[in-house]
């Protein structure tokens, strides 16, 4: 059986990640120190370095955790669509289910936006971030393919590119909502305009031809 420290590692990691997200959101990626994160989590620096190499490694662990949650929420939204789905409302239905802006999502947006700027200034970090983005985008593209299948439509654009555009609309919409919460609800722009985009970049699948009988 696993010994004590090994059994406790997942709990230690989870507490450090939670503390890091809170501290990063409050202090910023540069402003937050490893000591502050450890103090909030209730651990020593030794516990931190036994789980993470540095703050960048901690961010990428948070990225992967957030990505799993996003994929799980999108998957549930697609799976729970009415059968057969209403082609006019199906995209809106999925986006609406994804539009809840809780405190965790707000903290993640603050952190990820700042870290993206950090990555732009540091090419090695940018390459690592791009690889994590690529893996998440691959999952999103697969889910977009499932959505088109449910709509009985064929995409006319590359799904990876469409996933990039969808992400850009989501993040841009969220930014404007956080700046002007009384003027723009979270995902309002995405829910309004992405369904029109998805219809414009896809075609109704043709029914297979029937063979003539002699």
């Amino acid at each position: 059986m696993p010994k004590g420290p090994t059994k406790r590692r997942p709990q230690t990691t989870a507490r450090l990640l939670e503390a890091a997200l809170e501290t990063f959101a409050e202090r910023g990626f540069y402003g937050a120190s490893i000591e502050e994160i450890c103090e909030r989590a209730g651990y020593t620096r030794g516990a931190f370095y036994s789980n993470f190499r540095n703050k960048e490694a901690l961010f990428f662990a948070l990225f992967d955790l957030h990505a799993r949650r996003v994929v799980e929420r999108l998957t549930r939204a697609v799976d729970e669509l009415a059968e057969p789905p209403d082609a006019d409302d199906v995209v809106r239905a999925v986006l609406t289910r994804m539009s809840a802006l809780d405190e965790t999502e707000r903290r993640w947006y603050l952190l990820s936006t700042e870290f993206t700027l950090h990555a732009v200034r540091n090419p090695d970090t940018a390459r690592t971030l791009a690889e994590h983005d690529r893996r998440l985008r691959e999952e999103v593209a697969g889910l977009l393919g499932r959505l088109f299948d449910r709509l009985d439509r064929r995409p006319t654009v590359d799904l990876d590119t469409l996933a990039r555009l969808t992400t850009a609309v989501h993040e841009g919409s969220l930014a404007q909502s956080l700046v002007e919460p009384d003027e723009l609800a979270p995902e309002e722009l995405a829910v309004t305009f992405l369904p029109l985009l998805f219809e414009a970049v896809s075609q109704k699948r043709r029914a297979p031809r029937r063979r003539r009988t002699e």
Side-chain angles (χ1 to χ4, degrees):
M1 293 180 63
K3 295 183 178 180
T6 302
K7 291 173 65 177
R8 289 196 299 270
R9 182 177 291 274
Q11 180 183 7
T12 302
T13 302
R15 286 175 61 178
L16 284 168
L17 289 172
E18 182 179 359
L21 184 58
E22 293 173 357
T23 308
F24 283 146
E26 292 173 9
R27 305 275 293 160
F29 180 76
Y30 287 106
S33 68
I34 291 174
E35 289 79 7
E36 287 178 292
I37 293 168
C38 291
E39 183 178 353
R40 178 167 285 188
Y43 292 117
T44 64
R45 284 173 62 93
F48 178 91
Y49 284 113
S50 69
N51 287 272
F52 303 103
R53 187 174 68 259
N54 51 33
K55 285 199 298 183
E56 281 197 3
L58 184 58
F59 169 83
F60 286 118
L62 283 167
F63 183 106
D64 292 340
L65 178 63
H66 182 263
R68 286 198 300 273
R69 289 172 176 167
V70 168
V71 171
E72 287 170 1
R73 288 170 65 187
L74 277 172
T75 301
R76 284 198 302 271
V78 173
D79 288 344
E80 292 170 4
L81 289 172
E83 189 65 53
D86 185 337
D88 293 333
D89 297 331
V90 61
V91 179
R92 287 185 179 85
V94 172
L95 291 170
T96 299
R97 296 184 192 202
M98 289 293 297
S99 65
L101 178 61
D102 57 21
E103 185 59 25
T104 298
E105 286 297 314
R106 179 182 176 277
R107 289 169 176 166
W108 172 250
Y109 182 82
L110 293 173
L111 170 57
S112 61
T113 300
E114 183 182 3
F115 191 87
T116 298
L117 295 176
H118 166 69
V120 170
R121 298 186 184 101
N122 297 273
D124 289 342
T125 304
R127 282 189 287 271
T128 304
L129 180 58
E131 175 58 23
H132 283 259
D133 279 335
R134 184 196 62 76
R135 293 201 294 264
L136 174 56
R137 195 167 59 248
E138 194 174 73
E139 296 271 9
V140 173
L143 287 165
L144 288 174
R146 287 183 57 194
L147 261 181
F148 284 122
D149 286 342
R150 296 290 299 276
L151 291 169
D152 196 27
R153 297 184 71 87
R154 179 180 61 82
T156 57
V157 298
D158 175 65
L159 287 179
D160 181 80
T161 303
L162 183 59
R164 285 182 184 271
L165 180 56
T166 302
T167 300
V169 172
H170 161 72
E171 292 179 352
S173 178
L174 184 55
Q176 294 186 52
S177 177
L178 288 171
V179 171
E180 300 181 89
D182 296 331
E183 297 295 327
L184 190 68
E187 299 291 5
E188 182 177 332
L189 294 178
V191 170
T192 302
F193 293 104
L194 281 180
L196 302 175
L197 171 66
F198 285 13
E199 184 174 354
V201 299
S202 65
Q203 296 176 344
K204 191 72 175 174
R205 287 196 174 100
R206 295 179 179 178
R209 291 184 178 180
R210 293 183 178 179
R211 289 187 176 182
R212 289 186 177 181
T213 56
E214 297 295 337

